[in-house]
Amino acid sequence: MKTALVTGSWGFVGRHMTAELRGRGWDVIGCDIANPDRPVDCLDVFRRADRVFDLVVHAAARAPHRAAIDGRPATMAYNLQLDAAMFDWALRTGQRRVLYLSSSAVYPVQFQDGSEEWRLHETNTDSAHGIMPDAGYGWTKLTGEKTAAAAAAEGLAVHVVRPFSGYGEDQGDDWPFGAFVARAHRREDPFTVWGNGLQVRDWIHIDDVVAGALAVVDADVREPVNVCTGRGVSMKELAGMICQETGHQPWIAYDRTAPPGVAYRVGDPDRFHDLYQPKVSLEEGVTRAVRRARQQGAVASL
């Protein structure tokens, strides 16, 4: 039986990755300090464990959402420490393969100002384009990718994926999709959207994030790969889709004091789509999320 370690296994990506690997017959161990049943600090694992896994999925990160990215910059130091400790441990213990969850935040912000509909290609992080990723989190992930490359040069098999705006039915309300579903379910009026609502994102369902990332591993691709759809949908449009699905017709209020993020972030999907074709459309994802919120509401009212 193949074995895997998933760091950040209690987080959004980590728990879906854990479930998918187990569904494929893998023996999976998770570590996450946020696990209420068995909190395990991943840093302790990297200090003490010597077991060798067929695959290490490194999804652990502290508060990788917009409010924390702009409002809690000190998380950068912890995330840098976490990545460095993981790669040091992987090399020291001879781990067979590592899947590093990077981020679309690594891309230079000058390509994301909305002046043109630029599809971000994996090569756009090259120094020839100028390096100015999205805030401290972007710097953290870009540094993580450089560390991954250094570890690969020493013989570690490393795969790097750059998910764009992942979403799903069980996403928390620290992220826009989860927040919009929760606001629509609560019938909030006004319905608040951060910024001017025109910020465009490349939304990809968590099922496709996980399956797509594992397709990169299965194909043994060693260069960074966007995990994206290539389709851009604005925050305003997404809010409208969710409200329509719930039958809610609120007044949309734009909170321009809240951090909006970059204006336009859509990935070039060509490299990814050669390996994997996303299965869940945004429309289907919205329907699934609204259905789940209704079911949970019905259970809570019993």
Side-chain angles (χ1 to χ4, degrees):
M1 179 181 291
K2 292 182 179 179
T3 60
L5 171 71
V6 177
T7 72
S9 56
W10 198 253
F12 181 54
V13 175
R15 65 178 177 266
H16 283 271
M17 184 66 73
T18 298
E20 177 64 21
L21 286 170
R22 285 176 175 162
R24 296 185 183 195
W26 288 59
D27 177 21
V28 183
I29 292 177
C31 65
D32 197 322
I33 200 167
N35 185 337
D37 299 320
R38 189 171 178 266
V40 177
D41 190 335
C42 294
L43 289 174
D44 287 339
V45 173
F46 301 147
R47 292 186 192 104
R48 302 171 185 174
D50 58 5
R51 178 177 175 181
V52 176
F53 295 89
D54 293 305
L55 177 65
V56 176
V57 180
H58 187 48
R62 179 177 287 173
H65 52 77
R66 190 78 249 169
I69 288 171
D70 288 350
R72 294 166 55 190
T75 59
M76 179 180 179
Y78 178 82
N79 289 333
L80 285 169
Q81 179 187 19
L82 196 61
D83 288 356
M86 187 280 296
F87 280 114
D88 177 71
W89 167 80
L91 281 170
R92 188 176 70 251
T93 57
Q95 298 302 315
R96 295 190 178 95
R97 196 172 294 274
V98 170
L99 172 59
Y100 179 68
L101 274 293
S102 184
S103 169
S104 56
V106 300
Y107 287 109
V109 293
Q110 65 262 33
F111 295 136
Q112 305 174 68
D113 62 5
S115 59
E116 60 178 301
E117 296 183 354
W118 186 291
R119 280 187 169 188
L120 297 163
H121 188 270
E122 286 86 353
T123 58
N124 291 147
T125 56
D126 295 346
S127 58
H129 293 95
I131 301 175
M132 186 52 69
D134 187 0
Y137 185 69
W139 279 111
T140 298
K141 288 301 185 181
L142 190 59
T143 304
E145 290 193 15
K146 298 297 184 184
T147 308
E154 293 194 31
L156 182 66
V158 183
H159 311 279
V160 175
V161 293
R162 297 171 179 166
F164 277 65
S165 294
Y167 72 95
E169 298 91 297
D170 60 337
Q171 189 172 43
D173 58 10
D174 283 327
W175 286 264
F177 185 91
F180 288 175
V181 172
R183 289 169 195 166
H185 182 66
R186 292 193 297 264
R187 319 298 282 185
E188 289 188 9
D189 193 355
F191 184 107
T192 302
V193 175
W194 287 10
N196 61 13
L198 301 179
Q199 313 96 294
V200 171
R201 295 293 182 268
D202 190 329
W203 307 94
I204 179 163
H205 193 272
I206 187 61
D207 288 356
D208 290 319
V209 171
V210 169
L214 292 176
V216 172
V217 174
D218 291 341
D220 197 27
V221 175
R222 304 293 180 91
E223 57 188 355
V225 178
N226 288 338
V227 176
C228 65
T229 67
R231 174 190 178 189
V233 175
S234 72
M235 298 288 180
K236 179 180 179 180
E237 290 173 311
L238 177 63
M241 291 170 65
I242 292 171
C243 287
Q244 182 177 11
E245 185 69 25
T246 60
H248 184 38
Q249 297 180 334
W251 174 59
I252 305 294
Y254 299 101
D255 183 356
R256 298 174 189 271
T257 67
V262 296
Y264 190 92
R265 178 174 290 165
V266 177
D268 183 324
D270 288 350
R271 186 178 292 180
F272 180 51
H273 288 182
D274 282 343
L275 304 167
Y276 178 84
Q277 289 289 330
K279 307 295 191 297
V280 184
S281 69
L282 182 56
E283 288 77 9
E284 181 182 349
V286 166
T287 298
R288 288 188 188 183
V290 170
R291 182 189 305 126
R292 183 177 188 270
R294 286 172 175 159
Q295 290 170 345
Q296 287 189 321
V299 170
S301 66
L302 294 176

